[in-house]
Amino acid sequence: MSATVDGDKSRSVPNRVGRILRGPRPEAVPALVGTACTFVGLIDIAAGIFPRFRHSRMHTIAEVLPGATGPFAAALSLSAGMLLLLLAHGIKRHKRRAWRAAVVLLPAGAVAQFVYRHSLVGVLLSLALLALLMRHRGEFSALPDPRSRWRALTNFVLMGAGSLGLGLVVVSVHPGRIVGSPGLTDRLEHVLYGLFGFEGPIRYSDGVSWTVGYCLGALGLLTAVTTVYLAFRPEHPTARLTQDDERRLRDLLAVHGGRDSLGHFALRRDKGVVFSPSGKAAVCYRVVSGVMLASGDPIGDVEAWPGAIERFMDEAKAHSWTPAVMGCSETGGEVWTRETGLDCLELGDEAVVDVADFSLSGRAMRNVRQMVKRIERGGYRTRVRRARDLDDDEIRQIRRAAADWRGTDTERGFSMALGRIGDPADGDAVIATAHKDEGTASPSYGDLKAVIHFVPWGTDGMSLELMRRDRSADPGMNELLIVAALQAAPALGVERVSLNFAMFRSALARGEKIGAGPVLRMWRGLLVFLSRWFQIESLYKFNAKFRPRWEPRFVVFPNTRDLPRIGFAAMQAEGFVNLSLPRLFVRRRPAPAPHPCAHLTRQAETHEPRAA
């Protein structure tokens, strides 16, 4: 035993030495270079702005980094620092264009250092980093992210604000060299003039005005150049579901659509899709903030899932996107983790009601039964029909009402939302409506008071997509329509109904039971607190009224450290976080005729759990 251990130790020493001599692993180079770019950028910005910095001990480090002292060198240092900071994130993400920019910037910095400072150390440092980039150029092959020219406006606003703030610092870091006592207005005016290359009202002694002028001019030029570049570079549009993709997906759903209740949501037209080599399976996705976000299980034959998953992972790797799956089933989670090595975590439970087992009788259903009877006595009536059985006027009325009754300004929904009502291709969808004749019908909605929309789940099921109600209607409209849909399901050939998804349902259920531990009670308390904004507890209690069976749903992710980023991207996709431009700057595009009512949410935004 001891001989074996000694042998292992003797072999480990040369292995470690070999790793040191070979340098960093190729896959670690982008992170290393990106971190180096961030550090160098911050040092360059500090060296170009703060005069005391150039006389501190850190000056010895700054001397061997891109940038130099003096008026022109200060501006060059500031510009190089800003560009390196902009490139750092792209280099860490293996982006090819960031690599190309760094390859151009480093020789330029080396030449500048040799010409203006005659610094051989700085030249060697730049060339060493350039050699590292050239040696590992194969690691920087990621394709660009989806983008549009509207990023130029965003860049102009952000860079302009950053240049203005940085300019105020540049103007104010020489208090002993300023002539007189200029106020904030004079300093701001000096910055604005300087960004456009003109001399401002503030005067400096000992030649400091040249340094300030060069720095401000460099900031203005950098803002202009990056904005012009973003405005005129080719667009790389976000993936969209084409007509051919949708046709192929519908063919797969016609055969395998009964496997997953979220299958029909793959037909959401703002998603991209990758197919397996055989074409028998597909994964639909959307890219949000660098996260390639899929939802539900792959579509199609389970035996062909690995091929579609491999294509999905290849696409994520090609663009250096973070792959993630929201709301897959237990079977889907097992296949994803087995084929990709990703990790899996239970996200919540889906409420599924078996129509044959549903009944309003019994003590457990007393509250729902009483509410439905009370609303029916109030004069409300319900209608449950396939979408194909509604005429065009009714469809337009329902679309208008659903849009006007939305509880938030932002359209919500991604993983469990279809984004349209009454599309001719979705004739199998089920629409339940509540009506009340009050003598005078609304010119916009008639006697319509509430609507819920179900999408097909195979040939014998349906999945809830959205719920909307008139805010002036009596409480309990959603309960009324769900009960009506469940009671009408046998006549429609529906045997199972998927209701809302309840996040962290098991934690909420276990945390409220007797004997729950302090950690579980604390976790439940946090979820209840977050329910003020995200309807975590209310959706669980709303679903539990109908005595469903709970089907667990999972999130698949690469690493635990990626969970915050994936969670933020999911919140963006679902519409809880909106980082888009204000409506004033958004270019209006006419909606395609087949689906004019986009992004309608499946979540129960308008139900009243308190009234229940």
Side-chain angles (χ1 to χ4, degrees):
M1 178 66 69
S2 60
T4 303
V5 174
D6 292 341
D8 290 343
K9 288 183 178 179
S10 65
R11 288 193 297 269
S12 65
V13 173
N15 287 341
R16 288 196 296 269
V17 174
R19 285 195 298 268
I20 293 173
L21 294 177
R22 288 192 299 268
R25 293 171 299 179
E27 62 270 17
V29 170
L32 176 64
V33 176
T35 302
C37 285
T38 301
F39 177 74
V40 170
L42 293 174
I43 294 294
D44 281 354
I45 291 174
I49 293 178
F50 299 103
R52 292 183 180 180
F53 176 84
R54 289 193 291 269
H55 299 288
S56 67
R57 294 181 180 179
M58 291 296 293
H59 177 56
T60 57
I61 299 177
E63 280 296 315
V64 298
L65 297 174
T69 57
F72 179 79
L76 184 61
S77 178
L78 193 60
S79 300
M82 294 283 287
L83 289 173
L84 288 172
L85 287 180
L86 292 174
L87 291 174
H89 182 65
I91 290 175
K92 287 183 178 180
R93 295 186 58 206
H94 304 246
K95 291 299 182 180
R96 188 70 176 178
R97 293 195 174 186
W99 177 86
R100 290 174 179 171
V103 166
V104 172
L105 182 63
L106 286 171
V111 171
Q113 290 188 54
F114 181 77
V115 172
Y116 293 103
R117 290 198 295 135
H118 307 288
S119 173
L120 292 177
V121 177
V123 171
L124 292 176
L125 181 64
S126 298
L127 293 180
L129 191 56
L130 175 63
L132 186 64
L133 285 172
M134 295 299 294
R135 179 183 177 184
H136 299 283
R137 58 184 176 273
E139 295 295 318
F140 301 91
S141 58
L143 300 175
D145 291 339
R147 61 172 182 261
S148 69
R149 292 192 175 94
W150 283 99
R151 286 199 61 185
L153 178 60
T154 305
N155 178 83
F156 178 76
V157 173
L158 296 180
M159 285 289 293
S163 298
L164 188 62
L166 208 55
L168 286 173
V169 176
V170 171
V171 170
S172 304
V173 293
H174 308 276
R177 308 294 177 86
I178 297 178
V179 178
S181 301
L184 179 61
T185 304
D186 295 327
R187 296 172 191 267
L188 185 60
E189 183 180 354
H190 193 88
V191 172
L192 291 175
Y193 273 102
L195 292 177
F196 288 95
F198 300 104
E199 187 175 357
I202 300 179
R203 297 292 178 266
Y204 296 89
S205 61
D206 298 334
V208 174
S209 59
W210 286 97
T211 302
V212 173
Y214 271 73
C215 288
L216 294 178
L219 288 173
L221 182 62
L222 193 61
T223 302
V225 169
T226 54
T227 301
V228 170
Y229 167 74
L230 292 173
F232 288 97
R233 68 175 179 173
E235 293 192 51
H236 188 74
T238 304
R240 288 290 186 269
L241 206 65
T242 65
Q243 292 183 355
D244 182 63
D245 292 337
E246 184 173 341
R247 178 189 58 78
R248 295 175 65 185
L249 286 173
R250 289 186 182 276
D251 291 341
L252 292 177
L253 288 172
V255 180
H256 305 283
R259 184 177 297 279
D260 184 16
S261 64
L262 306 188
H264 199 85
F265 298 117
L267 300 175
R268 188 180 172 101
R269 288 167 179 150
D270 58 358
K271 291 182 178 181
V273 60
V274 289
F275 289 90
S276 65
S278 64
K280 295 181 179 180
V283 176
C284 295
Y285 67 91
R286 186 197 294 176
V287 179
V288 183
S289 297
V291 177
M292 192 175 182
L293 204 61
S295 60
D297 292 343
I299 306 300
D301 189 354
V302 176
E303 294 183 358
W305 284 6
I309 291 174
E310 183 180 1
R311 289 281 181 88
F312 177 87
M313 297 300 292
D314 289 343
E315 187 78 4
K317 183 178 180 180
H319 294 268
S320 191
W321 293 329
T322 301
V325 185
M326 301 294 296
C328 65
S329 68
E330 188 171 0
T331 301
E334 291 175 353
V335 176
W336 274 101
T337 54
R338 184 185 69 236
E339 297 296 327
T340 64
L342 300 179
D343 206 349
C344 190
L345 182 68
E346 184 173 342
L347 187 61
D349 295 270
E350 177 187 13
V352 178
V353 178
D354 294 313
V355 175
D357 299 333
F358 178 77
S359 174
L360 284 178
S361 61
R363 183 177 180 84
M365 297 297 295
R366 183 179 60 180
N367 290 337
V368 176
R369 182 173 64 251
Q370 292 177 347
M371 175 175 288
V372 170
K373 295 298 183 183
R374 176 177 57 81
I375 296 174
E376 289 176 344
R377 288 195 298 270
Y380 289 90
R381 54 187 174 85
T382 59
R383 302 182 69 185
V384 182
R385 293 163 289 173
R386 296 281 184 184
R388 69 170 72 93
D389 298 328
L390 279 72
D391 58 41
D392 293 341
D393 291 337
E394 286 182 287
I395 290 294
R396 284 193 293 268
Q397 186 183 77
I398 290 172
R399 287 174 179 166
R400 189 183 309 114
D404 293 346
W405 294 343
R406 188 175 62 244
T408 60
D409 293 333
T410 304
E411 298 281 6
R412 291 179 177 175
F414 164 67
S415 57
M416 298 178 184
L418 184 62
R420 57 184 182 268
I421 299 178
D423 191 288
D426 302 319
D428 288 337
V430 175
I431 299 177
T433 54
H435 307 264
K436 184 178 182 181
D437 188 5
E438 298 176 328
T440 56
S442 168
S444 299
Y445 322 125
D447 60 354
L448 184 65
K449 295 299 179 181
V451 58
I452 61 175
H453 183 228
F454 295 89
V455 298
W457 174 10
T459 57
D460 61 351
M462 60 185 185
S463 186
L464 180 61
E465 197 260 341
L466 68 84
M467 297 190 289
R468 294 284 192 273
R469 71 169 184 87
D470 187 346
R471 293 304 179 92
S472 64
D474 293 341
M477 289 290 102
N478 294 324
E479 289 87 342
L480 173 69
L481 287 179
I482 289 178
V483 169
L486 290 171
Q487 292 176 338
L492 298 172
V494 173
E495 299 177 1
R496 51 187 179 164
V497 178
S498 170
L499 300 180
N500 289 293
F501 171 74
M503 291 184 62
F504 309 114
R505 195 275 315 175
S506 59
L508 289 170
R510 293 196 304 265
E512 63 185 358
K513 292 182 178 179
I514 297 176
V519 176
L520 188 57
R521 288 200 301 269
M522 185 181 301
W523 174 228
R524 182 183 180 278
L526 176 61
L527 294 177
V528 172
F529 174 76
L530 295 176
S531 296
R532 299 180 181 181
W533 297 278
F534 301 112
Q535 297 185 343
I536 298 173
E537 184 185 31
S538 58
L539 280 176
Y540 157 58
K541 291 186 174 180
F542 178 82
N543 294 332
K545 296 177 183 179
F546 304 98
R547 316 301 295 177
R549 56 181 169 90
W550 299 100
E551 297 289 342
R553 291 281 174 172
F554 300 85
V555 56
V556 178
F557 56 95
N559 197 290
T560 304
R561 64 174 177 270
D562 295 317
L563 279 176
R565 184 182 178 192
I566 293 172
F568 185 73
M571 292 176 67
Q572 287 181 260
E574 296 289 350
F576 290 104
V577 177
N578 185 15
L579 300 181
S580 61
L581 292 173
R583 292 183 180 181
L584 177 64
F585 301 106
V586 175
R587 177 169 49 187
R588 292 185 177 271
R589 296 180 180 180
H595 50 98
C597 190
H599 307 293
L600 295 175
T601 180
R602 177 194 186 194
Q603 293 188 349
E605 298 175 27
T606 58
H607 74 265
E608 302 85 2
R610 294 179 183 175

